[in-house]
Amino acid sequence: MRTGKILPKAIGYLLKKPATVAYPAKKEPIFDGFRGLIAYNAEECIGCMACKRDCPTGAIQIEKVADKQYKAVFEMGLCVFCGQCVDSCPREGALWYTSEFELASLTRDALTVDL
């Protein structure tokens, strides 16, 4: 008795268009506001450490290189892409998210981005 109810549904699903895309052969466009890999502009950074302080996972380290020059080290394996670092930065253009999202790697060291 159950076969009679399931069979028409199964045939209907076989004839439907698939709900998935053939990734990576076909890539869908990325929407505005997407949070991918973090980008850092050292020239705009004032070294206030607001991004480091507000990061809930401690994924950001800001290091002083020289007088008024800083570099950032991002642990992308720790980042939850919450956007708090970008929102808390007082300098527009110092931190922002890119549309790069293919961040998988085989080693944890490859997830450390030194900018």
Side-chain angles (χ1 to χ4, degrees):
M1 287 192 157
R2 291 182 131 203
T3 310
K5 291 183 180 180
I6 293 174
L7 191 59
K9 278 235 185 236
I11 292 172
Y13 283 124
L14 287 173
L15 299 175
K16 269 187 163 181
K17 192 176 177 182
T20 59
V21 290
Y23 182 82
K26 181 184 176 192
K27 294 185 180 182
E28 293 291 316
I30 296 173
F31 58 89
D32 290 338
F34 179 79
R35 296 178 185 163
L37 182 67
I38 295 174
Y40 172 73
N41 183 357
E43 294 174 2
E44 291 292 325
C45 182
I46 58 174
C48 67
M49 309 286 182
C51 56
K52 179 180 176 179
R53 182 181 61 246
D54 291 344
C55 181
T57 61
I60 302 173
Q61 299 297 322
I62 303 292
E63 301 170 3
K64 189 170 187 173
V65 177
D67 189 38
K68 296 185 180 181
Q69 289 184 341
Y70 302 92
K71 82 172 193 173
V73 178
F74 297 100
E75 296 286 340
M76 298 312 294
L78 296 176
C79 184
V80 292
F81 302 94
C82 65
Q84 188 61 46
C85 58
V86 177
D87 292 341
S88 64
C89 183
R91 295 292 298 233
E92 192 170 325
L95 281 176
W96 68 95
Y97 280 103
T98 65
S99 59
E100 186 178 341
F101 64 91
E102 296 170 326
L103 305 174
S105 74
L106 297 174
T107 63
R108 186 173 287 248
D109 293 336
L111 293 173
T112 302
V113 180
D114 192 0
L115 302 170

